[in-house]
Amino acid sequence: FGLDAVDLTTTSIISCPLAKLPIDSLESASPLIVTPPCKPQHLQTTSPTPLVTEYYANEVSYFGKLIPVGQRPVAVKTYGQTTVTDSVNGNTTQSHSGPAHAIVVNSGSNSVSILDLSTYLSVATIPVGIQPMAVALNAAGTMAYVANAGSGTVSEINLASLSVTRNVSVGPNAQSVSVDPSGASVWVGGSGFLSQIGLNTFTVVESQAMN
């Protein structure tokens, strides 16, 4: 139902430990045994990877993992950056770099889930309005804005404190939300309206009827 796509960079590093060569005694005539030289390698590949909400299973699918969230998840957005070590096998270390967190909108439980994408766990559940349907993030990935269709509101979430900081009424059936490129306002669409919310005051500064 909900979808976000990110670039994941997978890295494989093959290191070469210092070789310990046997040292023959002065009385021995046998030659030193020399092992073949080790060649260090650093391999990287980048590929698009989706995060998908599983509406009926109440899960998010990401990087081969299924992460439990709230009821009827409908939207997901990632933020932050992290590097995760996937495996260490002898001299080979495999890791991947990608988003650190995701916010998931749970339309059936009136909440959002915060996911830690390095541990593949839900680390917080934040109550919002009734029947949340969409989420948008500011450019810095520090604030989230959730459109709540059932209550006709928009909730602002501080992603550092993981708390709702402000709410504003916008109109019935608010189902879409986007942060203005200027970073000064948020746009929200619902049944027959499009409204602009000023972020300084978190009030509706403009609203127009839509067919």
Side-chain angles (χ1 to χ4, degrees):
F1 204 104
L3 173 67
D4 197 9
V6 299
D7 282 335
L8 281 190
T9 299
T10 302
T11 303
S12 296
I13 297 177
I14 301 175
S15 59
C16 294
L18 295 175
K20 296 181 179 180
L21 299 178
I23 301 176
D24 285 359
S25 64
L26 294 177
E27 292 81 10
S28 174
S30 61
L32 293 176
I33 300 174
V34 180
T35 59
C38 174
K39 183 180 180 181
Q41 297 184 56
H42 190 280
L43 309 174
Q44 279 191 338
T45 58
T46 300
S47 58
T49 302
L51 289 88
V52 182
T53 64
E54 304 282 353
Y55 183 80
Y56 294 108
N58 303 324
E59 296 173 329
V60 168
S61 173
Y62 170 66
F63 201 53
K65 308 287 185 179
L66 292 174
I67 309 171
V69 292
Q71 295 179 6
R72 298 195 293 276
V74 293
V76 57
K77 290 288 184 183
T78 63
Y79 61 97
Q81 192 72 15
T82 191
T83 298
V84 179
T85 298
D86 298 312
S87 66
V88 178
N89 184 9
N91 299 332
T92 302
T93 301
Q94 292 188 334
S95 62
H96 71 270
S97 298
H101 297 92
I103 181 170
V104 182
V105 176
N106 305 311
S107 66
S109 49
N110 304 330
S111 67
V112 298
S113 298
I114 304 298
L115 307 185
D116 183 333
L117 297 181
S118 64
T119 60
Y120 312 106
L121 295 173
S122 176
V123 294
T125 300
I126 306 170
V128 288
I130 299 171
Q131 196 184 2
M133 292 299 295
V135 62
L137 307 183
N138 65 353
T142 57
M143 306 295 288
Y145 301 92
V146 179
N148 305 302
S151 55
T153 61
V154 171
S155 301
E156 178 186 69
I157 298 174
N158 185 313
L159 294 174
S161 63
L162 301 181
S163 61
V164 174
T165 50
R166 297 183 290 184
N167 289 285
V168 60
S169 295
V170 290
N173 205 24
Q175 294 197 45
S176 58
V177 63
S178 180
V179 177
D180 192 90
S182 68
S185 61
V186 168
W187 293 87
V188 57
S191 293
F193 75 91
L194 176 66
S195 294
Q196 182 183 12
I197 303 167
L199 292 183
N200 283 337
T201 59
F202 212 62
T203 59
V204 175
V205 296
E206 180 184 352
S207 188
Q208 52 186 294
M210 304 293 291
N211 295 327

mmCIF file of all heavy atoms in Angstrom, residues 106-136:
data_model
loop_
_atom_site.group_PDB
_atom_site.id
_atom_site.type_symbol
_atom_site.label_atom_id
_atom_site.label_comp_id
_atom_site.label_asym_id
_atom_site.label_seq_id
_atom_site.Cartn_x
_atom_site.Cartn_y
_atom_site.Cartn_z
ATOM 1 N N ASN A 106 0.077 4.421 10.416
ATOM 2 C CA ASN A 106 -0.824 3.316 10.718
ATOM 3 C C ASN A 106 -2.263 3.825 10.746
ATOM 4 O O ASN A 106 -2.723 4.372 11.761
ATOM 5 C CB ASN A 106 -0.463 2.698 12.069
ATOM 6 C CG ASN A 106 0.990 2.268 12.152
ATOM 7 O OD1 ASN A 106 1.499 1.594 11.268
ATOM 8 N ND2 ASN A 106 1.670 2.663 13.209
ATOM 9 N N SER A 107 -2.978 3.644 9.639
ATOM 10 C CA SER A 107 -4.322 4.211 9.533
ATOM 11 C C SER A 107 -5.312 3.544 10.473
ATOM 12 O O SER A 107 -6.302 4.162 10.886
ATOM 13 C CB SER A 107 -4.820 4.098 8.089
ATOM 14 O OG SER A 107 -4.992 2.743 7.706
ATOM 15 N N GLY A 108 -5.077 2.295 10.822
ATOM 16 C CA GLY A 108 -6.019 1.567 11.661
ATOM 17 C C GLY A 108 -5.800 1.717 13.141
ATOM 18 O O GLY A 108 -6.661 1.334 13.937
ATOM 19 N N SER A 109 -4.652 2.267 13.566
ATOM 20 C CA SER A 109 -4.389 2.425 14.998
ATOM 21 C C SER A 109 -4.120 3.873 15.382
ATOM 22 O O SER A 109 -3.654 4.145 16.499
ATOM 23 C CB SER A 109 -3.228 1.527 15.443
ATOM 24 O OG SER A 109 -2.120 1.661 14.592
ATOM 25 N N ASN A 110 -4.399 4.814 14.444
ATOM 26 C CA ASN A 110 -4.297 6.252 14.748
ATOM 27 C C ASN A 110 -2.927 6.616 15.318
ATOM 28 O O ASN A 110 -2.808 7.309 16.331
ATOM 29 C CB ASN A 110 -5.403 6.691 15.712
ATOM 30 C CG ASN A 110 -6.797 6.362 15.197
ATOM 31 O OD1 ASN A 110 -7.018 6.326 13.983
ATOM 32 N ND2 ASN A 110 -7.724 6.108 16.100
ATOM 33 N N SER A 111 -1.894 6.119 14.652
ATOM 34 C CA SER A 111 -0.546 6.313 15.160
ATOM 35 C C SER A 111 0.467 6.246 14.026
ATOM 36 O O SER A 111 0.136 5.894 12.891
ATOM 37 C CB SER A 111 -0.198 5.228 16.195
ATOM 38 O OG SER A 111 -0.125 3.955 15.562
ATOM 39 N N VAL A 112 1.712 6.590 14.360
ATOM 40 C CA VAL A 112 2.831 6.319 13.466
ATOM 41 C C VAL A 112 3.843 5.472 14.223
ATOM 42 O O VAL A 112 3.960 5.556 15.453
ATOM 43 C CB VAL A 112 3.507 7.613 12.946
ATOM 44 C CG1 VAL A 112 2.525 8.434 12.126
ATOM 45 C CG2 VAL A 112 4.093 8.436 14.080
ATOM 46 N N SER A 113 4.549 4.629 13.489
ATOM 47 C CA SER A 113 5.633 3.826 14.053
ATOM 48 C C SER A 113 6.964 4.376 13.575
ATOM 49 O O SER A 113 7.103 4.749 12.404
ATOM 50 C CB SER A 113 5.514 2.357 13.627
ATOM 51 O OG SER A 113 4.323 1.771 14.104
ATOM 52 N N ILE A 114 7.939 4.424 14.458
ATOM 53 C CA ILE A 114 9.306 4.813 14.113
ATOM 54 C C ILE A 114 10.152 3.551 14.070
ATOM 55 O O ILE A 114 10.225 2.804 15.061
ATOM 56 C CB ILE A 114 9.894 5.811 15.128
ATOM 57 C CG1 ILE A 114 8.994 7.048 15.256
ATOM 58 C CG2 ILE A 114 11.306 6.212 14.720
ATOM 59 C CD1 ILE A 114 8.842 7.849 13.970
ATOM 60 N N LEU A 115 10.791 3.300 12.931
ATOM 61 C CA LEU A 115 11.597 2.096 12.751
ATOM 62 C C LEU A 115 13.082 2.428 12.804
ATOM 63 O O LEU A 115 13.525 3.426 12.232
ATOM 64 C CB LEU A 115 11.279 1.441 11.404
ATOM 65 C CG LEU A 115 9.814 1.148 11.091
ATOM 66 C CD1 LEU A 115 9.710 0.384 9.778
ATOM 67 C CD2 LEU A 115 9.139 0.406 12.226
ATOM 68 N N ASP A 116 13.843 1.587 13.485
ATOM 69 C CA ASP A 116 15.303 1.626 13.447
ATOM 70 C C ASP A 116 15.730 0.631 12.375
ATOM 71 O O ASP A 116 15.596 -0.587 12.559
ATOM 72 C CB ASP A 116 15.881 1.244 14.809
ATOM 73 C CG ASP A 116 17.403 1.346 14.854
ATOM 74 O OD1 ASP A 116 18.048 1.213 13.797
ATOM 75 O OD2 ASP A 116 17.952 1.541 15.947
ATOM 76 N N LEU A 117 16.233 1.138 11.255
ATOM 77 C CA LEU A 117 16.553 0.264 10.125
ATOM 78 C C LEU A 117 17.903 -0.427 10.261
ATOM 79 O O LEU A 117 18.269 -1.225 9.404
ATOM 80 C CB LEU A 117 16.481 1.061 8.820
ATOM 81 C CG LEU A 117 15.086 1.614 8.494
ATOM 82 C CD1 LEU A 117 15.115 2.370 7.176
ATOM 83 C CD2 LEU A 117 14.039 0.505 8.457
ATOM 84 N N SER A 118 18.629 -0.142 11.338
ATOM 85 C CA SER A 118 19.869 -0.894 11.588
ATOM 86 C C SER A 118 19.591 -2.167 12.384
ATOM 87 O O SER A 118 20.344 -3.138 12.299
ATOM 88 C CB SER A 118 20.888 -0.026 12.333
ATOM 89 O OG SER A 118 20.414 0.329 13.625
ATOM 90 N N THR A 119 18.493 -2.153 13.156
ATOM 91 C CA THR A 119 18.124 -3.336 13.937
ATOM 92 C C THR A 119 16.847 -3.995 13.415
ATOM 93 O O THR A 119 16.463 -5.066 13.907
ATOM 94 C CB THR A 119 17.910 -2.958 15.412
ATOM 95 O OG1 THR A 119 16.855 -1.973 15.497
ATOM 96 C CG2 THR A 119 19.179 -2.380 16.015
ATOM 97 N N TYR A 120 16.183 -3.332 12.472
ATOM 98 C CA TYR A 120 14.930 -3.839 11.886
ATOM 99 C C TYR A 120 13.844 -3.999 12.957
ATOM 100 O O TYR A 120 13.114 -4.983 12.985
ATOM 101 C CB TYR A 120 15.161 -5.158 11.138
ATOM 102 C CG TYR A 120 16.335 -5.106 10.200
ATOM 103 C CD1 TYR A 120 17.534 -5.747 10.509
ATOM 104 C CD2 TYR A 120 16.260 -4.386 9.002
ATOM 105 C CE1 TYR A 120 18.619 -5.686 9.655
ATOM 106 C CE2 TYR A 120 17.343 -4.313 8.150
ATOM 107 C CZ TYR A 120 18.520 -4.965 8.479
ATOM 108 O OH TYR A 120 19.606 -4.896 7.636
ATOM 109 N N LEU A 121 13.741 -2.978 13.829
ATOM 110 C CA LEU A 121 12.771 -2.994 14.915
ATOM 111 C C LEU A 121 11.979 -1.701 14.933
ATOM 112 O O LEU A 121 12.489 -0.635 14.537
ATOM 113 C CB LEU A 121 13.463 -3.182 16.266
ATOM 114 C CG LEU A 121 14.192 -4.505 16.516
ATOM 115 C CD1 LEU A 121 14.950 -4.438 17.833
ATOM 116 C CD2 LEU A 121 13.209 -5.669 16.516
ATOM 117 N N SER A 122 10.748 -1.781 15.422
ATOM 118 C CA SER A 122 9.966 -0.587 15.725
ATOM 119 C C SER A 122 10.377 -0.105 17.114
ATOM 120 O O SER A 122 10.308 -0.864 18.089
ATOM 121 C CB SER A 122 8.467 -0.909 15.691
ATOM 122 O OG SER A 122 7.703 0.209 16.079
ATOM 123 N N VAL A 123 10.827 1.159 17.202
ATOM 124 C CA VAL A 123 11.377 1.658 18.469
ATOM 125 C C VAL A 123 10.447 2.649 19.158
ATOM 126 O O VAL A 123 10.687 3.018 20.311
ATOM 127 C CB VAL A 123 12.757 2.306 18.242
ATOM 128 C CG1 VAL A 123 13.762 1.256 17.799
ATOM 129 C CG2 VAL A 123 12.689 3.438 17.219
ATOM 130 N N ALA A 124 9.397 3.108 18.476
ATOM 131 C CA ALA A 124 8.458 4.039 19.103
ATOM 132 C C ALA A 124 7.139 4.011 18.357
ATOM 133 O O ALA A 124 7.094 3.791 17.144
ATOM 134 C CB ALA A 124 9.024 5.461 19.118
ATOM 135 N N THR A 125 6.058 4.235 19.105
ATOM 136 C CA THR A 125 4.727 4.410 18.536
ATOM 137 C C THR A 125 4.187 5.739 19.042
ATOM 138 O O THR A 125 4.153 5.974 20.261
ATOM 139 C CB THR A 125 3.782 3.270 18.948
ATOM 140 O OG1 THR A 125 4.315 2.022 18.476
ATOM 141 C CG2 THR A 125 2.402 3.471 18.350
ATOM 142 N N ILE A 126 3.790 6.626 18.110
ATOM 143 C CA ILE A 126 3.374 7.980 18.463
ATOM 144 C C ILE A 126 1.913 8.166 18.063
ATOM 145 O O ILE A 126 1.584 8.075 16.872
ATOM 146 C CB ILE A 126 4.254 9.027 17.763
ATOM 147 C CG1 ILE A 126 5.736 8.753 18.054
ATOM 148 C CG2 ILE A 126 3.865 10.439 18.188
ATOM 149 C CD1 ILE A 126 6.680 9.584 17.207
ATOM 150 N N PRO A 127 1.003 8.437 19.006
ATOM 151 C CA PRO A 127 -0.394 8.704 18.639
ATOM 152 C C PRO A 127 -0.513 10.002 17.843
ATOM 153 O O PRO A 127 0.158 11.000 18.157
ATOM 154 C CB PRO A 127 -1.091 8.833 19.996
ATOM 155 C CG PRO A 127 -0.163 8.204 20.991
ATOM 156 C CD PRO A 127 1.218 8.439 20.452
ATOM 157 N N VAL A 128 -1.370 9.988 16.815
ATOM 158 C CA VAL A 128 -1.640 11.205 16.040
ATOM 159 C C VAL A 128 -3.157 11.379 15.978
ATOM 160 O O VAL A 128 -3.854 11.081 16.950
ATOM 161 C CB VAL A 128 -0.987 11.131 14.643
ATOM 162 C CG1 VAL A 128 0.522 11.262 14.752
ATOM 163 C CG2 VAL A 128 -1.347 9.842 13.914
ATOM 164 N N GLY A 129 -3.689 11.885 14.856
ATOM 165 C CA GLY A 129 -5.125 12.055 14.734
ATOM 166 C C GLY A 129 -5.810 10.771 14.297
ATOM 167 O O GLY A 129 -5.202 9.705 14.227
ATOM 168 N N ILE A 130 -7.091 10.918 13.984
ATOM 169 C CA ILE A 130 -7.885 9.761 13.577
ATOM 170 C C ILE A 130 -7.640 9.434 12.108
ATOM 171 O O ILE A 130 -7.652 10.319 11.259
ATOM 172 C CB ILE A 130 -9.383 10.036 13.814
ATOM 173 C CG1 ILE A 130 -9.644 10.290 15.305
ATOM 174 C CG2 ILE A 130 -10.232 8.864 13.337
ATOM 175 C CD1 ILE A 130 -11.047 10.773 15.594
ATOM 176 N N GLN A 131 -7.392 8.180 11.836
ATOM 177 C CA GLN A 131 -7.170 7.636 10.492
ATOM 178 C C GLN A 131 -6.111 8.424 9.713
ATOM 179 O O GLN A 131 -6.385 9.022 8.682
ATOM 180 C CB GLN A 131 -8.479 7.618 9.691
ATOM 181 C CG GLN A 131 -8.408 6.723 8.457
ATOM 182 C CD GLN A 131 -9.670 6.783 7.613
ATOM 183 O OE1 GLN A 131 -10.606 7.525 7.917
ATOM 184 N NE2 GLN A 131 -9.694 6.008 6.544
ATOM 185 N N PRO A 132 -4.865 8.404 10.173
ATOM 186 C CA PRO A 132 -3.788 9.046 9.409
ATOM 187 C C PRO A 132 -3.584 8.341 8.076
ATOM 188 O O PRO A 132 -3.687 7.114 7.994
ATOM 189 C CB PRO A 132 -2.565 8.900 10.311
ATOM 190 C CG PRO A 132 -2.869 7.691 11.148
ATOM 191 C CD PRO A 132 -4.351 7.715 11.375
ATOM 192 N N MET A 133 -3.285 9.143 7.029
ATOM 193 C CA MET A 133 -3.211 8.577 5.678
ATOM 194 C C MET A 133 -1.920 8.885 4.941
ATOM 195 O O MET A 133 -1.573 8.187 3.999
ATOM 196 C CB MET A 133 -4.392 9.078 4.841
ATOM 197 C CG MET A 133 -5.743 8.558 5.288
ATOM 198 S SD MET A 133 -5.889 6.755 5.210
ATOM 199 C CE MET A 133 -5.767 6.502 3.435
ATOM 200 N N ALA A 134 -1.217 9.948 5.318
ATOM 201 C CA ALA A 134 -0.037 10.348 4.539
ATOM 202 C C ALA A 134 0.949 11.046 5.451
ATOM 203 O O ALA A 134 0.581 11.584 6.506
ATOM 204 C CB ALA A 134 -0.443 11.259 3.379
ATOM 205 N N VAL A 135 2.224 11.066 5.015
ATOM 206 C CA VAL A 135 3.271 11.728 5.787
ATOM 207 C C VAL A 135 4.268 12.373 4.841
ATOM 208 O O VAL A 135 4.530 11.858 3.747
ATOM 209 C CB VAL A 135 3.987 10.724 6.733
ATOM 210 C CG1 VAL A 135 4.675 9.619 5.942
ATOM 211 C CG2 VAL A 135 4.978 11.436 7.644
ATOM 212 N N ALA A 136 4.807 13.517 5.253
ATOM 213 C CA ALA A 136 5.869 14.204 4.512
ATOM 214 C C ALA A 136 6.917 14.664 5.521
ATOM 215 O O ALA A 136 6.594 14.956 6.677
ATOM 216 C CB ALA A 136 5.314 15.390 3.730
#
